[in-house]
Amino acid sequence: MEKAFWNDVASKGAILGVLMLASNIFEHAMLLNGTMARMSIVGVEVLVVFVLYIYLIYRFAKSHSLRYIPEEGFPYGKAFGYIVAISLFASVIVGLGSYVFTHFIIGYKEYVDGIINMYTNILSSTPMPAQVAGIYEQTLEQIQAQPEPSIFATISSAIWNYLLLGGFVGLIIAAVVKREPNIFGNENE
C-alpha cells in the first residue's frame, strides 16, 4: 500500500507541479513586460489558477480516498498527509522550473532589471510624497543589491510556500474527503 501511495502522490504532484509551474512562468513573463493591462490579466489568472489548484487537490484526495477499503476508512490525518505530500512534490517541480526559467532562460540580471523597471513604471505613474518615493527607491536599490539566490534557496522557498498553501487548503479539504471506517462492510449498499 505504501508504494501505491507514493506512486499516486508523485503522479498527482507532478500534474499539479507542471500546472503551477506553467502559471508561475506565465505570471513572470507578463509582469516583466508589465503594463497595467497585463498586470490585471495576471490578477485574473492568479484567481483562476488558485480555484483550479483547490479543485484538483479536492479531486485527487477524493479519488485517493475511494481506494481505501470501507473497513479501513480514510481518516482526516491520512487525507491531510496526502494533500501535504502532493503539495510537497508540486513545490519541488515549481522551484526547480522557476530557477531554470529565471536563471537560464531569462537570465537573473535581466529578471531583476525587469522587476525594477516594472516597479519604476508603477511608481512613476502614481503620485506620492517625496518621502514615500524615497523609501521605494531604497527598496529598489536593495533588490538590485541582493545576491543571486542559489537553486537550493529557490526550491526551499517554493517548498515553504506550497507547504503553507497545501497545509491551509488541506485543513479544509481533508475534512471534506475523510471517511470513517465502516466495520460492518457495505451490507446496505
Side-chain angles (χ1 to χ4, degrees):
M1 192 68 164
E2 282 296 313
K3 185 176 181 182
F5 172 82
W6 288 111
N7 283 340
D8 191 47
V9 164
S11 65
K12 301 304 192 275
I15 292 168
L16 198 59
V18 168
L19 173 71
M20 300 313 284
L21 176 60
S23 169
N24 188 304
I25 290 172
F26 174 78
E27 291 164 13
H28 280 83
M30 293 295 278
L31 291 176
L32 290 176
N33 301 320
T35 63
M36 290 308 277
R38 287 185 179 184
M39 293 171 100
S40 61
I41 290 171
V42 168
V44 171
E45 183 264 348
V46 166
L47 291 174
V48 169
V49 169
F50 181 68
V51 169
L52 185 61
Y53 176 83
I54 292 171
Y55 173 76
L56 286 175
I57 289 283
Y58 169 77
R59 293 296 304 156
F60 295 157
K62 185 70 172 175
S63 170
H64 189 74
S65 77
L66 297 175
R67 292 190 183 137
Y68 283 87
I69 56 177
E71 295 82 16
E72 199 174 307
F74 191 61
Y76 182 84
K78 279 187 181 180
F80 183 72
Y82 177 78
I83 293 167
V84 169
I86 287 176
S87 296
L88 178 65
F89 271 80
S91 68
V92 172
I93 292 171
V94 172
L96 183 61
S98 179
Y99 181 84
V100 168
F101 178 74
T102 304
H103 290 78
F104 298 116
I105 295 175
I106 294 178
Y108 186 73
K109 183 183 178 335
E110 289 78 16
Y111 173 75
V112 171
D113 290 344
I115 295 291
I116 297 298
N117 287 336
M118 177 191 66
Y119 283 122
T120 303
N121 290 340
I122 292 171
L123 294 173
S124 66
S125 66
T126 307
M128 65 181 71
Q131 184 179 6
V132 175
I135 292 172
Y136 281 118
E137 288 175 12
Q138 286 178 334
T139 303
L140 293 177
E141 289 171 4
Q142 289 175 350
I143 290 173
Q144 283 181 316
Q146 290 293 319
E148 183 175 339
S150 69
I151 188 169
F152 298 111
T154 304
I155 292 174
S156 64
S157 174
I159 288 172
W160 178 248
N161 290 334
Y162 278 88
L163 284 180
L164 282 176
L165 178 62
F168 177 72
V169 169
L171 289 172
I172 299 165
I173 293 177
V176 173
V177 300
K178 72 177 176 137
R179 288 187 306 108
E180 297 299 324
N182 184 358
I183 58 173
F184 300 111
N186 290 333
E187 295 173 5
N188 296 334
E189 290 182 3

